[in-house]
Amino acid sequence: TEIKHAVTMARSRKILGPYEIDPENPVLTSYDAPLIQLQRAGHGDLVDTPEGETYMVHLCGRPLPRRGVCILGRETCIQKMAWTDDGWLRMQAGGHNPLDSIPIVVSHNDDKVQECFQRDDFENEKLGEQYQFLRIPLGEESFSLTERKGFLRLKGWESLSSFFHQSLIARRQQAFCYTAETCVEFEPENFKMMAGLVCYYNTQNYHYLRITHEEGKGKVIGVITCDNYELGYPAHEEHCIEGWSRCYLKAEMYYDRLSFFFSDDGNTWINIGGILDSAILSDEHCSVGWGFTGAFVGLCCQDLSGTHKHADFDYFSYIERK
């Protein structure tokens, strides 16, 4: 799903050919239209409706305006198609560039459309379908929704750069602008214990608002940025929050700008780390070539001392904005 992606067509009456190539290929692409919203269009699949209409679902990416990188990862779109009298497939609207929106008449509407998740108070004993783990599902050794009712308890494991066992629960970023918020109770005993709110692409690239312990200060809060495995500390100095039983954490994403905030009451917020570059959380920014996942935002906990110190999260909210 890269910039020259496309859907092309060839046809034959025998599976082994010979094949006739569509003289108007490609059937679908964004490559010749760099200013449209849906880029990297290709990898199509066809479906016929009960009414006899033909649609194509295809992959694409929506680049950040002015930056040209995709923090939303690889997405799926749908286009209405039509067959010509001489047997070639075409977009019904004409041309071969994907449209942002198309009219669809749905006659089979038994399945209810799930509303966009906004806030989870962790009252259920099972995580919602909006959450994802990293590589493998987490078990009871990593998280619990029952050990403390109304809280998500994450038990600290390895660092965010680990390829093995991380305690990370996150949801996919699905809009350029959103606000994510949580409240955590966490009492780290040394600098090897951390927990907080993370905007995450992969082990190479993330921005992490985390609480930890600093000798001489006690409990502190700060920001870690990992840019293609290079760690940085945008806040320069940790803020002391010793004596706080609860700490509210917030991330505000606005296209390629990310700001972190913390608060002791959830009303008065303090910015920490300034404005961060969220474009590093993109498919194209990765220095090692496994991409297309899109950015995530979520909760995590580390304990590099091996005692599995836990953090309790009271809620997690994700609200998309325009």
Side-chain angles (χ1 to χ4, degrees):
T1 316
E2 297 182 355
I3 196 67
K4 294 184 180 181
H5 210 193
V7 174
T8 59
M9 182 178 179
R11 67 186 182 187
S12 175
R13 296 192 179 279
K14 298 180 180 179
I15 192 66
L16 297 179
Y19 278 85
E20 178 187 5
I21 297 175
D22 186 341
E24 295 188 21
N25 272 335
V27 177
L28 177 77
T29 189
S30 307
Y31 184 49
D32 59 351
L35 299 182
I36 65 174
Q37 178 174 302
L38 304 181
Q39 291 295 314
R40 309 190 310 187
H43 214 125
D45 289 300
L46 298 178
V47 60
D48 290 331
T49 69
E51 292 77 19
E53 296 179 319
T54 299
Y55 289 88
M56 177 188 290
V57 291
H58 65 92
L59 299 181
C60 70
R62 288 184 286 165
L64 279 168
R66 303 181 305 277
R67 299 295 296 272
V69 297
C70 298
I71 61 175
L72 303 180
R74 182 162 50 188
E75 299 183 282
T76 304
C77 291
I78 188 169
Q79 306 292 335
K80 194 168 187 179
M81 311 299 290
W83 293 96
T84 64
D85 292 338
D86 56 349
W88 294 110
L89 188 68
R90 300 286 181 260
M91 290 185 60
Q92 188 186 61
H96 58 213
N97 298 143
L99 303 179
D100 293 351
S101 61
I102 61 170
I104 296 180
V105 178
V106 180
S107 60
H108 302 273
N109 57 356
D110 295 334
D111 295 329
K112 296 180 180 179
V113 177
Q114 185 176 0
E115 294 183 1
C116 181
F117 154 81
Q118 290 193 338
R119 179 177 170 119
D120 187 352
D121 288 299
F122 301 124
E123 298 293 340
N124 297 322
E125 295 186 2
K126 185 178 180 181
L127 280 174
E129 294 181 353
Q130 67 273 14
Y131 296 110
Q132 298 195 39
F133 306 116
L134 189 61
R135 300 180 192 78
I136 59 172
L138 297 186
E140 294 181 356
E141 78 287 350
S142 300
F143 87 102
S144 174
L145 289 164
T146 58
E147 291 183 10
R148 186 180 178 190
K149 185 65 176 176
F151 287 80
L152 169 66
R153 173 164 289 179
L154 285 180
K155 303 168 186 180
W157 279 82
E158 297 167 11
S159 78
L160 284 174
S161 296
S162 170
F163 288 105
F164 299 97
H165 197 149
Q166 294 190 24
S167 288
L168 184 150
I169 292 175
R171 62 148 297 135
R172 185 169 177 173
Q173 177 182 343
Q174 294 177 276
F176 288 126
C177 304
Y178 71 82
T179 298
E181 186 180 314
T182 190
C183 180
V184 59
E185 297 182 13
F186 181 53
E187 297 299 331
E189 300 166 17
N190 57 61
F191 71 95
K192 296 182 179 181
M193 300 176 179
M194 292 167 276
L197 180 66
V198 63
C199 297
Y200 185 90
Y201 187 86
N202 58 14
T203 55
Q204 303 174 51
N205 295 286
Y206 54 82
H207 294 295
Y208 183 19
L209 175 60
R210 60 91 173 92
I211 296 169
T212 187
H213 183 280
E214 184 176 314
E215 189 173 351
K217 284 188 175 181
K219 186 159 64 171
V220 296
I221 187 169
V223 177
I224 298 176
T225 286
C226 187
D227 184 347
N228 282 325
Y229 288 126
E230 291 189 13
L231 291 175
Y233 299 87
H236 303 298
E237 185 177 354
E238 313 285 82
H239 288 245
C240 180
I241 56 171
E242 180 65 24
W244 292 25
S245 59
R246 295 163 63 85
C247 186
Y248 294 81
L249 310 176
K250 181 165 67 173
E252 290 191 351
M253 183 74 73
Y254 184 77
Y255 294 97
D256 59 351
R257 292 179 288 175
L258 168 65
S259 299
F260 281 131
F261 301 85
F262 69 99
S263 170
D264 63 348
D265 60 7
N267 295 312
T268 303
W269 295 92
I270 301 170
N271 175 248
I272 182 170
I275 297 176
L276 307 173
D277 183 11
S278 64
I280 73 168
L281 310 177
S282 64
D283 298 339
E284 294 83 355
H285 189 77
C286 289
S287 60
V288 179
W290 43 286
F292 304 129
T293 61
F296 286 71
V297 58
L299 313 172
C300 58
C301 183
Q302 298 83 35
D303 183 357
L304 307 185
S305 67
T307 63
H308 308 305
K309 182 73 174 183
H310 69 262
D312 289 339
F313 295 89
D314 193 5
Y315 66 89
F316 176 63
S317 67
Y318 168 88
I319 300 175
E320 296 177 354
R321 299 179 286 109
K322 294 184 178 180

